[in-house]
Amino acid sequence: RSYISRYPTFPTAWLNLGNTLMRDARPREALAAFAEFMKLDSTSGNAYINMATSYSMLAKYDSAVLTYRKAFALRPDYETWFNLNQEYGMALVKSDRPAEARATFQKMLARPGPSDQARGHRSMALLELLEGHVASAVPRLKTATDINASLKETNSELRNRLFLVSAYEMLGNTGAARAELDKATAIYSRVFLDPVFVSRLAVALVRNGRADHAARMLDTIRARVSPGSNFDRAHMLLATAMVTSARSRSPGAADSARTMLQEAAVLDSSAEMLAPLARLRADAGDVRGAIESEQRVHRNQMNIGFEAQFSWVLTRYRLGQLYERLGDSTQARREYETFLTEWQDADQTLPAIVDTRARLKKLLALRPKPES
């Protein structure tokens, strides 16, 4: 800003300011800076990409899609450039254009490079998982991990294996989930991983009954957290809270875990933080607090296309259970019915769908019949 005050017609300074504000999660200010840049230079595909990202951060997905397309008009190669393909495709999903998203991901699959094909398979799998097509998503994720392993792309391999763990959990296949966890843990044991990836691995281990193993990773996570990184710190708190909660059933441990997750949710309001916070609140008897956390999860479409998607997509199912606990059968029925409507084309043998149908049938049987 100091530089711009002296040289207000230097476009690169405005671009750098916009990029910095965007990375600092200040999208409205970023867009204002990008607008000033565009007055001086409207030929930068990179600027349009970061403007689109800023619109997505504000949940203005139609504007994001239009801005991505302006970037692609200047730089057609950007549409299949590393992660831009998925970012654009997921913006299409969030603006309710899944068919266009699928066509976008197909362009990545058609690329000759195996790394690009792995990205395409992952993006397509995440779209299928969002729609409840878990059985068809699993082979895509397996293909992606095989490619990653052959190219020694360890970060991508770990990430895709953890996606597979979550997919198998959705299928209720505990054995397959644990087998993938073993492979993911083997990656952790041989290469350096960023703290967020180690945290996600630790949380998956806790979910699958291996809290003691996860506990041995906590020192590694703490040592690798970047100073000033809210994202790193949030994931450190998440892993610590999950281990604390799983290893001790004492009220003190539960209170400590909830406090950590509340702090984590301030630093990162994604479903990765809020969904476990909701569960711990419910376990402590704070059902209304759990509902508030789950509602915050469901309102945030930014969860789509990332690890948080796995928690986001089952929010209405969990809300139905919470309303049942409150004794609000009317709202519970609404949540279950909406969940089944949203997933009417999903794999109907998914445990969440089977359980929802059973719960809804029971609630409908209990509903008083109207007087004749």
Side-chain angles (χ1 to χ4, degrees), residues 134 138 161 164-183 204-210 351:
V134 186
V138 165
R161 290 203 184 281
L164 266 173
V165 170
S166 295
Y168 282 129
E169 289 170 353
M170 290 177 73
L171 289 168
N173 192 337
T174 303
R178 289 180 174 174
E180 285 301 327
L181 264 178
D182 288 340
K183 295 173 184 176
L205 287 165
V206 171
R207 288 200 311 267
N208 285 271
R210 299 181 182 178

Side-chain angles (χ1 to χ4, degrees), residues 46-356:
N46 176 60
Y48 280 116
I49 291 295
N50 288 343
M51 285 180 71
T53 301
S54 299
Y55 279 124
S56 288
M57 292 169 73
L58 293 168
K60 295 182 177 181
Y61 300 113
D62 288 339
S63 296
V65 168
L66 289 172
T67 310
Y68 276 119
R69 288 175 176 172
K70 290 178 181 179
F72 302 154
L74 292 167
R75 289 286 304 271
D77 58 313
Y78 273 5
E79 191 174 355
T80 51
W81 185 275
F82 293 97
N83 290 329
L84 289 184
N85 180 265
Q86 177 171 326
E87 291 176 20
Y88 172 55
M90 289 303 171
L92 287 165
V93 171
K94 294 165 192 175
S95 60
D96 199 25
R97 291 182 255 189
E100 292 178 57
R102 189 168 275 104
T104 296
F105 299 148
Q106 193 62 47
K107 291 178 182 179
M108 203 67 168
L109 285 169
R111 299 274 295 171
S115 288
D116 288 340
Q117 291 168 17
R119 290 188 184 94
H121 279 295
R122 178 175 67 195
S123 297
M124 200 72 84
L126 287 171
L127 177 57
E128 290 174 347
L129 287 163
L130 186 66
E131 297 170 335
H133 302 146
V134 186
S136 59
V138 165
R140 289 193 180 278
L141 288 171
K142 284 183 175 180
T143 299
T145 55
D146 288 345
I147 293 172
N148 297 148
S150 69
L151 298 175
K152 294 182 171 55
E153 296 172 339
T154 50
N155 280 352
S156 293
E157 182 188 353
L158 177 79
R159 192 178 183 202
N160 288 329
R161 290 203 184 281
L162 290 179
F163 282 145
L164 266 173
V165 170
S166 295
Y168 282 129
E169 289 170 353
M170 290 177 73
L171 289 168
N173 192 337
T174 303
R178 289 180 174 174
E180 285 301 327
L181 264 178
D182 288 340
K183 295 173 184 176
T185 304
I187 296 172
Y188 162 75
S189 67
R190 70 174 187 266
V191 300
F192 180 94
L193 295 170
D194 288 340
V196 171
F197 289 129
V198 183
S199 171
R200 286 169 172 159
L201 174 58
V203 170
L205 287 165
V206 171
R207 288 200 311 267
N208 285 271
R210 299 181 182 178
D212 288 342
H213 195 159
R216 294 193 287 273
M217 299 178 175
L218 294 181
D219 286 342
T220 299
I221 297 169
R222 293 188 192 102
R224 295 180 185 177
V225 168
S226 299
S229 171
N230 287 347
F231 195 58
D232 282 5
R233 180 164 172 74
H235 279 272
M236 179 190 72
L237 289 165
L238 171 65
T240 307
M242 292 295 92
V243 169
T244 301
S245 175
R247 296 182 84 193
S248 174
R249 296 300 177 184
S250 72
D255 289 344
S256 177
R258 278 199 311 280
T259 298
M260 282 186 277
L261 281 175
Q262 286 166 348
E263 184 180 347
V266 172
L267 299 171
D268 174 22
S269 60
S270 74
E272 285 189 273
M273 310 300 153
L274 285 169
L277 175 60
R279 181 177 64 77
L280 291 189
R281 281 177 164 171
D283 289 346
D286 180 14
V287 181
R288 293 190 184 279
I291 288 171
E292 186 272 334
S293 294
E294 291 286 8
Q295 288 173 336
R296 284 183 63 194
V297 169
H298 194 266
R299 287 194 297 266
N300 186 5
Q301 281 190 296
M302 285 292 288
N303 290 306
I304 296 173
F306 304 97
E307 282 77 3
Q309 174 180 307
F310 288 92
S311 293
W312 182 87
V313 78
L314 295 176
T315 310
R316 289 200 182 277
Y317 170 56
R318 295 193 302 272
L319 278 169
Q321 294 172 316
L322 290 169
Y323 280 114
E324 274 197 81
R325 283 188 58 179
L326 273 186
D328 189 343
S329 58
T330 299
Q331 189 59 38
R333 285 197 306 271
R334 288 194 188 114
E335 297 294 346
Y336 290 144
E337 287 168 351
T338 304
F339 175 63
L340 292 176
T341 298
E342 290 174 348
W343 264 21
Q344 59 185 333
D345 296 325
D347 303 339
Q348 295 302 298
T349 56
L350 287 175
I353 289 183
V354 172
D355 185 52
T356 297

Side-chain angles (χ1 to χ4, degrees), residues 16-31:
N16 289 343
L17 176 61
N19 292 343
T20 303
L21 288 164
M22 180 197 70
R23 287 192 294 269
D24 199 36
R26 296 158 69 178
R28 285 186 177 83
E29 294 173 82
L31 286 167

